[in-house]
Amino acid sequence: MTNLKAKSFELRQVVLDMIMKSGGGHIGGDFSVMDILVALYHCQMNISPENMDDPNRDLFVMSKGHSVEAYYAVLADKGFFPTEQVVNEFSSFGSKFIGHPNNKLPGIEMNSGSLGHGLPVCVGMALACRMDGRNNRIYTVMGDGELAEGSVWEGFMAGGHYKLSNLCAVVDRNRLQISGSTEEVMSHESLKNRIESFRWHVIVTDGNDIDLLNHAFDEAKNITDRPTCIIANTVKGFGGGDIMENKASWHHHVPTAEEYETIRAELTRRQSCQA
Amino acid sequence: MNNIPNRKAICDVLLEKSETDRDITVLCSDSRGSASMAPFFQRFPEQSVEVGIAEQNLVSISAGMAKCGKKPFCFSPASFLSTRSYEQAKVDVAYSNTNVTLVGISGGISYGELGMSHHSAQDIAAMSSIPNMRVYLPSDRFQTAKLIDALLLDEKPSYIRVGRNPVEDIYPENCPFIMDQATVIIDGEAAQALPSSGMDWKTLPPDMITIVACGEMTRPAVLAAQILAREGIHTAVLDMCCVKPLDREAIINCALRSKLILTAEEHSPFGGLGSMVSQVIGQQCPRKVINLALPDAPVITGKSQAVFDHYGLNAEGIAKTAKENY
């Protein structure tokens, strides 16, 4: 597990390079969600470039599609496409590495970008897989700002109604969105209770701790009568150090050359601490 | 007198095909009665999904199921399906290229008395402008059944609109139908109708009128053609079930032999069949084109036939406009 913790900082470096090279991206959410994606892709999900045609593979939808840089970095690390290619081509003219997930790329099941779509889509996947008697699992990651979309709650409602225990939704609860604090923009007071009231099993954990995330995902697998939502408390910009952590202005800020060096040094330091 | 609405024809096909195809799935948003799909829910409960009054969820869930190999048919009143869940249709169905058939029921002004909230006079424009979304408005129950048969053979996204009320038969049961081709009816003789690829265009008389119609406007267009033929004006009706992809070749071939082109549709005057046909005519063979459509306003209150009559969207109205402009 130590290696994966180091890897999550290494992959943040890939994100940083992608954003510096392209001059755009959503770095704050990329850094908060990275550990969730690493846990899913390296420890939890049965998914690889070799099994993408297997109907029994696990399924993932990146509902917070603007964190696509983190998603690309993890998919590249899993071998779906070369890391160097995505760093060089991300968001460039005519590139297939678009600024939101696109399922013409290997490894990506569904297009996203408009918020509030991932959970209802995953409800459909979970229903279909259950109809066919499959034992695979369906995962989605949402942002906490995204929870203001009404369609998210339609998804929670249907997931609970149909007792979709093969479905696991993760909320990247970094408490910041583009305009500021989620609690100021549109509060999520009693979020755990709200989701539980839709007949979901809810786990609250540290979303920047891969070990704790894996515990939560393992617990979810043992819940057999309802879907699970993991409220993953994260830090926006996690790993970037004081200059970017917990700052809403880093939602889609592109670092200056000086900031780049500072963040890179911090990521390297944290990575070496885990090695 | 036919009393089987097109929505029931869809249910009948899905009931028959689902006996052997367990991937066909029907999803409704508290709309199984309006959709005539209650018999499907009863016969195939394990292939039926109720999502409640939640059209966005309806479409996204359908897309997720399609991604996992299902063949979802997603039913909701066209007014809500085409606007409330428009973004889900755009992103989860068309953009993600999922094998979902969106079925807008009670389309157009089927719910004439219920007001503009329940009218879908914008769905052709809305759905047609989404890349990778096909749009079909079948005319009678036999053509509707053929369309559903054809849609089950491919895996591409589509939107279908059908009305609430039964439509008098236009064609014999074994109606001529080829996917994505207009059906051509000369002088209102529907029994001799042919898919456009079966037409020998050179045999058409010169100086015709061509009426391009879709959905519930096709039958009045055919009756109008009969009126015009009796008065010595040869008239071709293009039953443009495939609004997108539009059968451009059929339009051009008819227009080249026509002095006047009319379009008739149960839709806003903007962005629908009339706009699309006018684009083709303007580019390929400029002719006078008259677009008959609903007004750009909330329509008058009344049952749909009374509303059609009020706006001249009936056989007599179409024939009258044709003669005035010929």
Side-chain angles (χ1 to χ4, degrees):
Chain A
M1 203 53 59
T2 308
N3 285 342
L4 286 183
K5 288 182 178 179
K7 182 184 281 295
S8 78
F9 293 112
E10 179 192 328
L11 294 179
R12 284 178 175 91
Q13 179 67 55
V14 173
V15 168
L16 182 66
D17 289 343
M18 227 182 279
I19 288 172
M20 285 302 285
K21 179 127 183 140
S22 69
H26 293 82
I27 193 166
D30 286 328
F31 278 25
S32 69
V33 80
M34 183 60 84
D35 301 297
I36 298 166
L37 296 181
V38 169
L40 280 170
Y41 275 86
H42 284 281
C43 307
Q44 296 296 329
M45 293 198 299
N46 169 30
I47 186 167
S48 69
E50 292 73 39
N51 78 348
M52 282 305 288
D53 293 327
D54 180 356
N56 292 311
R57 72 188 181 281
D58 291 332
L59 295 160
F60 175 77
V61 176
M62 187 68 168
S63 195
K64 51 171 296 190
H66 54 284
S67 292
V68 71
E69 300 87 10
Y71 191 22
Y72 284 159
V74 171
L75 288 174
D77 185 58
K78 283 286 285 187
F80 284 98
F81 34 75
T83 298
E84 190 184 336
Q85 186 188 12
V86 68
V87 170
N88 286 329
E89 297 179 10
F90 173 64
S91 281
S92 63
F93 181 75
S95 172
K96 57 188 178 183
F97 296 100
I98 306 172
H100 286 97
N102 186 292
N103 65 1
K104 290 202 171 101
L105 283 171
I108 297 181
E109 307 282 1
M110 293 290 287
N111 298 353
S112 57
S114 176
L115 298 171
H117 288 234
L119 182 57
V121 165
C122 286
V123 167
M125 289 175 165
L127 276 167
C129 290
R130 189 170 73 180
M131 278 179 183
D132 288 343
R134 302 189 192 288
N135 291 318
N136 58 344
R137 292 187 63 75
I138 321 297
Y139 294 94
T140 188
V141 176
M142 297 177 281
D144 50 1
E146 178 176 359
L147 300 181
E149 293 281 6
S151 54
V152 169
W153 299 94
E154 291 186 9
F156 275 130
M157 206 180 321
H161 177 83
Y162 283 107
K163 301 182 172 67
L164 297 172
S165 57
N166 53 349
L167 172 61
C168 179
V170 184
V171 177
D172 177 12
R173 183 80 170 108
N174 60 34
R175 294 181 174 268
L176 291 173
Q177 56 192 105
I178 194 165
S179 305
S181 155
T182 54
E183 302 317 287
E184 286 171 14
V185 175
M186 188 53 65
S187 76
H188 302 306
E189 192 181 335
S190 310
L191 181 59
K192 180 171 186 281
N193 293 343
R194 286 189 196 186
I195 300 172
E196 279 173 342
S197 75
F198 282 75
R199 294 195 255 170
W200 283 59
H201 179 66
V202 181
I203 304 167
V204 180
T205 194
D206 182 341
N208 290 126
D209 185 317
I210 292 173
D211 294 335
L212 292 176
L213 282 165
N214 278 323
H215 282 304
F217 285 123
D218 290 342
E219 179 182 325
K221 286 176 183 167
N222 292 319
I223 304 298
T224 56
D225 65 342
R226 58 190 60 208
T228 294
C229 178
I230 298 173
I231 300 175
N233 287 317
T234 58
V235 172
K236 196 151 186 169
F238 185 79
D242 291 343
I243 66 164
M244 69 178 289
E245 287 183 347
N246 255 327
K247 291 186 171 64
S249 58
W250 279 79
H251 181 80
H252 56 9
H253 176 68
V254 178
T256 63
E258 190 181 340
E259 287 168 338
Y260 172 83
E261 291 303 332
T262 306
I263 296 166
R264 194 175 72 143
E266 180 66 12
L267 289 173
T268 305
R269 187 186 70 76
R270 295 206 196 183
Q271 184 183 339
S272 61
C273 286
Q274 301 294 342
Chain B
M1 182 83 178
N2 169 46
N3 60 6
I4 298 173
N6 292 349
R7 55 196 164 108
K8 168 108 181 12
I10 296 175
C11 183
D12 289 344
V13 173
L14 294 181
L15 278 170
E16 180 199 330
K17 299 291 183 184
S18 294
E19 293 291 345
T20 52
D21 187 342
R22 292 305 167 124
D23 285 329
I24 293 172
T25 314
V26 168
L27 295 94
C28 288
S29 55
D30 198 21
S31 51
R32 73 183 79 170
S34 311
S36 297
M37 294 309 295
F40 190 95
F41 273 66
Q42 203 161 21
R43 173 71 186 86
F44 298 106
E46 70 287 2
Q47 289 171 244
S48 305
V49 179
E50 175 61 71
V51 306
I53 305 168
E55 293 81 9
Q56 297 176 77
N57 219 14
L58 175 77
V59 174
S60 292
I61 288 174
S62 299
M65 297 189 81
K67 183 68 196 174
C68 294
K70 297 297 175 190
K71 301 171 184 170
F73 283 73
C74 172
F75 291 81
S76 189
S79 55
F80 314 132
L81 188 63
S82 64
T83 50
R84 184 65 164 263
S85 42
Y86 186 55
E87 201 195 54
Q88 282 73 17
K90 176 183 127 184
V91 177
D92 302 337
V93 178
Y95 188 32
S96 286
N97 193 30
T98 49
N99 180 20
V100 175
T101 303
L102 302 166
V103 186
I105 55 170
S106 303
I109 53 159
S110 292
Y111 290 130
E113 319 89 308
L114 300 188
M116 190 169 133
S117 63
H118 281 59
H119 299 161
S120 65
Q122 77 305 306
D123 53 344
I124 299 177
M127 289 295 170
S128 296
S129 59
I130 299 176
N132 197 37
M133 181 67 79
R134 300 174 296 172
V135 176
Y136 299 97
L137 275 76
S139 54
D140 75 359
R141 59 180 167 141
F142 301 126
Q143 190 187 68
T144 303
K146 291 277 180 86
L147 172 65
I148 301 300
D149 283 343
L151 286 169
L152 282 166
L153 297 177
D154 69 44
E155 298 186 347
K156 295 182 285 188
S158 53
Y159 171 80
I160 306 173
R161 184 226 274 186
V162 292
R164 180 171 181 77
N165 303 314
V167 181
E168 286 301 317
D169 296 338
I170 298 171
Y171 304 108
E173 183 164 1
N174 188 24
C175 77
F177 179 84
I178 294 180
M179 189 63 161
D180 297 334
Q181 289 188 20
T183 305
V184 190
I185 305 165
I186 304 300
D187 291 339
E189 294 187 28
Q192 274 83 52
L194 288 171
S196 66
S197 63
M199 287 295 296
D200 182 358
W201 303 106
K202 293 190 296 293
T203 64
L204 292 181
D207 296 336
M208 294 191 307
I209 291 176
T210 292
I211 308 173
V212 189
C214 60
E216 286 195 39
M217 281 299 109
T218 303
R219 184 174 154 78
V222 171
L223 297 177
Q226 291 171 0
I227 294 171
L228 294 166
R230 281 198 294 273
E231 298 184 19
I233 304 172
H234 291 298
T235 305
V237 170
L238 290 180
D239 177 353
M240 197 62 73
C241 168
C242 50
V243 174
K244 185 188 174 192
L246 194 68
D247 188 345
R248 295 168 59 93
E249 291 303 311
I251 294 169
I252 294 164
N253 276 303
C254 279
L256 287 172
R257 292 155 184 86
S258 298
K259 278 170 64 177
L260 172 68
I261 291 93
L262 266 76
T263 63
E265 62 189 315
E266 186 183 356
H267 191 266
S268 150
F270 307 121
L273 180 69
S275 300
M276 295 185 202
V277 171
S278 300
Q279 262 183 350
V280 174
I281 301 287
Q283 287 168 2
Q284 301 289 331
C285 46
R287 297 282 191 287
K288 185 172 186 179
V289 182
I290 304 285
N291 298 142
L292 294 171
L294 295 168
D296 178 31
V299 302
I300 195 165
T301 305
K303 295 201 182 301
S304 57
Q305 188 56 54
V307 176
F308 290 144
D309 293 343
H310 179 78
Y311 294 114
L313 292 168
N314 55 20
E316 295 73 23
I318 295 169
K320 180 169 176 284
T321 305
K323 280 186 280 185
E324 286 169 359
N325 289 278
Y326 185 62

